[in-house]
Amino acid sequence: MNDWNKNGKYDVSDSYMDYHLANSSSSSGTSSDWWKWVLLAIVVGVCPPVGVLILIIAFIVG
């Protein structure tokens, strides 16, 4: 157990960090979707209107 906020004691905020770090590594949710944002950035770079349209649709649907 680490002292994440470096205050010299293990308290509630350190426990909160331990809990979220332990549970975030086992989930395959949004962290596995990083490639979608890279693809969107490429599309926006090549054709901005199409990229913006895709982004708006993604926010409406998802």
Side-chain angles (χ1 to χ4, degrees):
M1 297 187 193
N2 292 325
D3 182 18
W4 293 104
N5 57 1
K6 305 292 186 211
N7 65 352
K9 58 185 176 186
Y10 185 80
D11 53 8
V12 174
S13 58
D14 298 323
S15 175
Y16 178 82
M17 284 298 295
D18 284 337
Y19 174 79
H20 284 286
L21 288 172
N23 290 329
S24 66
S25 63
S26 64
S27 68
S28 61
T30 58
S31 63
S32 64
D33 295 337
W34 64 269
W35 62 270
K36 293 179 184 177
W37 295 107
V38 173
L39 182 62
L40 180 63
I42 293 170
V43 170
V44 169
V46 173
C47 186
V50 173
V52 171
L53 182 65
I54 291 171
L55 187 62
I56 291 171
I57 293 171
F59 283 131
I60 291 172
V61 173

